[in-house]
Amino acid sequence: MAARMKMEVHDEHADPNGGVAAVTVCEDDAIWDKIMASPDVGSIRAIPWKEISDSMANYLSNEAVIIGNLENEVDKLKEEIKRKKAAEVSDILSDQKIQELISESVAAEGSFGSLENAKTSACGKPGKKPRVPFDSQDVAAEKIVVLARDVLSTGAFKSDKLKFTTVCKTLLEAGDDELENYCGEVCFGLAEAVQGVSNQYSNSKKEIAKLEKILVEKSGQLLDAKGRQGQCLHSKQNLEGFQTYLESLDADIVLRHEAVRKAERELDNALWALEDLEKKLADQRELEAAAANLLTGASEAVQAAREALAAVKKDEEQLLELIAVAKTRVSELREQLANMKNAVDATLEIKKYVSATALKMGYYVDVAVREPVRQIGLVEETNVWDYFTQDVAADQCSTAFKHHLSDFHEYCTGPAMTAFEKIKHFVDLTPLCMLDDESKIAGEGDKAVQTRIGLLTQDLTGVQTWLDPFKGTGMTTEKEIAKVEMGEPEGLRQVVGVYGMIKFYTGYMKEWKIGRGIFHDLLNKLTAETQELEGDLLYEVEKVLPPLDEALKETSKRRVEAQARLDDALAAEQAALEGKNELAKVVASLETQVVGAQNMLTDLEGALKKAIKMYKEARATLVSKHTEGKDGILALSELHTMHLGE
């Protein structure tokens, strides 16, 4: 497997040359590389967690400042817009005030002279009396601007052009024929002039629109900042969990290796003791052979000494065979311990790869799926209904629609239908105005809009749910932690929602799930078989101790007897024995060797017992289940004691 896993992601940091894009954590490209540099134990221990933690903490601190500033700006903009809108909906000029403004403006010097003159002259219609100045309308418009400014400059009132025009036409008796009476055009000009003043002093819509545009921009920046903050917090949570997981792995490796090293040392000591005993026996056999060769003569004492040496030789041969068996068993124990250690290390490495892969898969989805959703303003904290109304019929937009609908319905079913009836014998145009009841049309319009709002909010809320890495699994962070403590790889539950249907997940990843996957059962079986094999081997080692101990004692006893016989032979046959001085030296050396061998026998027995004890402790450590903390390392204990339950 490659030392560093890579995959293509879609983010703003993608390599323009088509290379593999960097996975960015809290906008720090180096964090992921530092964590996933290599999966070996040495690299795990070298991960600079403090540096990584500081980087994420600094980023979150900066984002918090940015978010705080943006929230203040957004709040101020909302208050300003609210204030200006409140001014915009100030009281509309009353009919009386409109009439006063019109009367004063048309009576101004240089204008129509009086309200009555304006009416009787049809506002300057040629042929109508009294004659008025040609620019009477312009003078009236200039005058009304001054008058309106005094009324509207406080923002307490505003003008409505349609209402102003209607009141004006009624006051000046303009009628409907604009060619016969110029007062209609005069009213329109006066209404335009007053509206200009009103817009200036009652917070024009353009100014509010500008503020609302700024508000949208700032709100977007705020959502982006919160999205970045949320993503970083999610990354921080995942990495902290991964850190705890890896540090638990590291601590577990240290504990297990320490136990294995102790056991290997004691097993090696036992082998050395057996080899030393072998060498010592070889030296003794040479001395015994030399003694046998020096025993000459046919006396009973010499014959007894020779027979005693022969018996010792036979016992030593049997003892050497037992020592060889013991050495083989101890070597097998040491080999089995090494195999167990390698097997445990392999499961730890696999578990780390699975967890790292799951974590990388999660980042893939976060960058390619969730981040674009956050960038359009839909973040975890967004309440979709803040942007929609649950009773659209009560909104101003609905009121405006119904107002225009009423005008249309009134005209179509009134004047238009009357006109169509007069030419019906030529062309029947009445279908153009065959309308349902006005209230029915309005109700259907409200219902259609409200239905669409409901569907949109439902869709947006559905999209928003994909920001949750546990989407569709019924899992929570707390539940995931519990699963990890039971033996699942870190991050496994966060990839189900997106990858749950691909073969890599259905055919492999899901088999790591507690209670549903087969891998835990499979490893349980492996552990059971391993333990059975180890039990048999350990039994064989323990079984060799009693006969070895017995043989050692018997050989020692025989040596003592042989020593006595040799002493007798030397005393009885001093004159007959050839080389008696050499024999005396051999006997003295043999006596020394016998004492040393007896001490070595005691040491060997202790070494073997200690080696077996340390082996059992090491095996127990290798297959023991953590009793507290995060048990997600998949120790052999988990393979043999874990109950698989969802």
Side-chain angles (χ1 to χ4, degrees):
M1 184 178 292
R4 184 171 181 272
M5 296 164 285
K6 295 183 178 180
M7 61 178 68
E8 292 184 3
V9 293
H10 309 285
D11 67 350
E12 64 271 27
H13 302 286
D15 185 350
N17 298 321
V20 177
V23 174
T24 300
V25 179
C26 297
E27 296 193 0
D28 187 343
D29 296 339
I31 288 179
W32 187 257
D33 290 336
K34 291 174 182 176
I35 294 172
M36 302 306 297
S38 178
D40 59 77
V41 174
S43 295
I44 292 174
R45 293 170 174 169
I47 293 175
W49 289 114
K50 178 67 167 56
E51 182 180 329
I52 292 170
S53 177
D54 288 347
S55 175
M56 293 189 292
N58 290 337
Y59 178 82
L60 288 172
S61 177
N62 293 337
E63 285 297 319
V65 173
I66 293 172
I67 289 172
N69 292 338
L70 286 171
E71 285 178 337
N72 289 334
E73 291 184 52
V74 168
D75 289 341
K76 289 179 180 178
L77 283 168
K78 286 181 178 179
E79 287 297 322
E80 181 69 8
I81 291 170
K82 181 179 179 181
R83 184 184 66 79
K84 289 185 177 294
K85 282 188 174 181
E88 185 184 42
V89 295
S90 301
D91 293 337
I92 296 175
L93 289 173
S94 66
D95 291 0
Q96 181 181 353
K97 180 58 69 174
I98 293 173
Q99 290 171 358
E100 290 176 359
L101 290 172
I102 295 170
S103 298
E104 291 186 45
S105 65
V106 298
E109 184 179 353
S111 182
F112 297 104
S114 68
L115 177 63
E116 191 62 30
N117 285 348
K119 291 194 292 184
T120 57
S121 68
C123 294
K125 168 71 176 176
K128 298 281 186 179
K129 293 183 179 180
R131 295 184 65 181
V132 296
F134 180 75
D135 59 349
S136 296
Q137 179 178 344
D138 295 334
V139 174
E142 292 174 0
K143 180 62 176 179
I144 205 169
V145 167
V146 177
L147 297 171
R149 187 176 289 116
D150 293 337
V151 176
L152 301 175
S153 61
T154 63
F157 298 96
K158 68 176 183 177
S159 177
D160 180 83
K161 187 161 61 175
L162 177 60
K163 179 181 180 181
F164 191 101
T165 303
T166 301
V167 172
C168 181
K169 290 176 73 174
T170 300
L171 179 64
L172 297 180
E173 300 174 357
D176 295 327
D177 192 342
E178 294 183 356
L179 294 178
E180 290 297 323
N181 193 319
Y182 289 174
C183 287
E185 186 64 23
V186 170
C187 286
F188 178 77
L190 295 177
E192 281 284 340
V194 173
Q195 191 64 47
V197 176
S198 178
N199 290 343
Q200 180 181 358
Y201 289 102
S202 61
N203 303 313
S204 69
K205 291 183 179 179
K206 286 185 178 180
E207 184 178 356
I208 294 177
K210 181 179 179 180
L211 290 175
E212 288 178 334
K213 182 178 179 181
I214 296 174
L215 177 61
V216 169
E217 292 175 354
K218 294 296 182 181
S219 297
Q221 293 174 14
L222 178 59
L223 286 173
D224 288 344
K226 287 185 175 180
R228 295 192 302 269
Q229 182 188 52
Q231 185 179 21
C232 183
L233 285 171
H234 179 67
S235 300
K236 184 173 181 289
Q237 182 182 20
N238 275 351
L239 291 182
E240 286 175 347
F242 197 48
Q243 177 185 358
T244 302
Y245 177 76
L246 294 182
E247 288 177 345
S248 176
L249 169 64
D250 185 27
D252 194 69
I253 289 173
V254 170
L255 177 66
R256 294 164 195 241
H257 282 208
E258 182 180 1
V260 169
R261 287 196 303 271
K262 288 181 180 179
E264 286 182 332
R265 184 172 61 247
E266 296 305 330
L267 288 171
D268 197 55
N269 287 340
L271 279 176
W272 276 104
L274 287 168
E275 289 175 357
D276 286 346
L277 181 57
E278 255 186 337
K279 185 175 183 303
K280 184 66 68 175
L281 286 174
D283 293 342
Q284 289 179 352
R285 286 169 63 84
E286 289 181 2
L287 290 173
E288 290 160 1
N293 291 333
L294 292 171
L295 284 172
T296 58
S299 68
E300 184 177 342
V302 171
Q303 189 62 30
R306 293 177 64 86
E307 291 175 357
L309 288 174
V312 169
K313 181 179 179 182
K314 183 177 180 181
D315 287 343
E316 286 174 342
E317 289 174 351
Q318 182 180 1
L319 180 59
L320 287 172
E321 291 177 1
L322 290 173
I323 290 174
V325 171
K327 285 176 63 179
T328 301
R329 296 293 179 266
V330 171
S331 296
E332 289 174 350
L333 269 185
R334 187 165 62 175
E335 182 181 358
Q336 185 61 28
L337 185 64
N339 291 340
M340 287 177 62
K341 174 180 170 293
N342 292 337
V344 171
D345 287 347
T347 59
L348 297 177
E349 292 300 310
I350 291 172
K351 194 69 175 295
K352 180 184 180 297
Y353 269 115
V354 171
S355 183
T357 300
L359 189 64
K360 194 78 177 256
M361 291 168 75
Y363 274 106
Y364 186 6
V365 175
D366 208 41
V367 172
V369 178
R370 299 187 186 104
E371 182 58 20
V373 174
R374 296 186 184 104
Q375 288 178 353
I376 63 176
L378 190 59
V379 298
E380 289 85 340
E381 298 81 8
T382 302
N383 180 5
V384 173
W385 279 105
D386 286 345
Y387 299 88
F388 297 92
T389 179
Q390 299 192 41
D391 184 14
V392 73
D395 278 7
Q396 178 61 33
C397 53
S398 176
T399 302
F401 159 66
K402 292 169 186 173
H403 176 73
H404 289 285
L405 174 64
S406 179
D407 290 345
F408 167 50
H409 199 279
E410 182 180 347
Y411 178 79
C412 207
T413 57
M417 188 62 77
T418 300
F420 293 161
E421 288 291 344
K422 292 179 179 180
I423 64 167
K424 193 173 183 179
H425 58 287
F426 293 113
V427 180
D428 186 4
L429 297 178
T430 56
L432 295 177
C433 287
M434 289 294 184
L435 302 175
D436 284 337
D437 183 74
E438 180 182 338
S439 61
K440 182 179 180 182
I441 297 173
E444 288 178 343
D446 287 338
K447 182 179 180 181
V449 174
Q450 193 68 62
T451 298
R452 182 51 53 190
I453 288 175
L455 293 173
L456 281 173
T457 53
Q458 182 179 349
D459 290 343
L460 289 171
T461 303
V463 171
Q464 188 183 34
T465 61
W466 283 102
L467 297 176
D468 180 6
F470 299 116
K471 161 77 173 176
T473 65
M475 293 294 294
T476 62
T477 300
E478 292 73 20
K479 290 181 179 179
E480 183 194 33
I481 291 173
K483 296 292 183 184
V484 171
E485 289 178 347
M486 294 171 67
E488 278 192 1
E490 181 88 24
L492 177 63
R493 297 283 176 160
Q494 297 189 32
V495 304
V496 180
V498 174
Y499 300 101
M501 299 303 293
I502 68 172
K503 187 176 180 182
F504 178 58
Y505 178 81
T506 59
Y508 179 77
M509 294 289 281
K510 76 171 186 178
E511 301 301 344
W512 286 103
K513 293 174 70 174
I514 292 294
R516 295 185 180 181
I518 65 171
F519 290 161
H520 297 288
D521 283 336
L522 183 63
L523 293 173
N524 285 346
K525 293 177 182 178
L526 173 62
T527 302
E529 291 295 328
T530 302
Q531 287 182 327
E532 183 177 352
L533 176 62
E534 291 165 359
D536 293 342
L537 182 58
L538 199 57
Y539 173 74
E540 290 296 325
V541 175
E542 292 175 330
K543 189 172 69 173
V544 82
L545 278 177
L548 180 60
D549 184 61
E550 184 64 29
L552 288 171
K553 291 178 180 178
E554 185 63 26
T555 302
S556 178
K557 179 181 176 182
R558 296 275 191 183
R559 284 188 182 131
V560 172
E561 293 176 357
Q563 178 70 36
R565 296 293 180 270
L566 285 172
D567 290 340
D568 291 343
L570 281 173
E573 299 290 336
Q574 287 187 6
L577 288 173
E578 297 179 2
K580 63 179 181 179
N581 292 333
E582 288 79 5
L583 180 59
K585 292 179 182 179
V586 169
V587 170
S589 298
L590 184 59
E591 181 178 359
T592 302
Q593 291 281 358
V594 168
V595 174
Q598 289 175 337
N599 293 333
M600 291 186 66
L601 293 179
T602 302
D603 294 341
L604 172 61
E605 184 175 4
L608 278 174
K609 289 181 177 179
K610 187 175 182 181
I612 291 172
K613 177 177 178 293
M614 295 304 297
Y615 174 83
K616 288 180 177 179
E617 290 179 0
R619 185 188 66 177
T621 301
L622 286 172
V623 301
S624 66
K625 182 179 177 68
H626 291 293
T627 57
E628 58 184 31
K630 185 167 287 192
D631 300 341
I633 310 304
L634 197 62
L636 288 181
S637 61
E638 295 171 314
L639 312 180
H640 117 88
T641 64
M642 189 181 299
H643 297 288
L644 299 181
E646 180 68 10

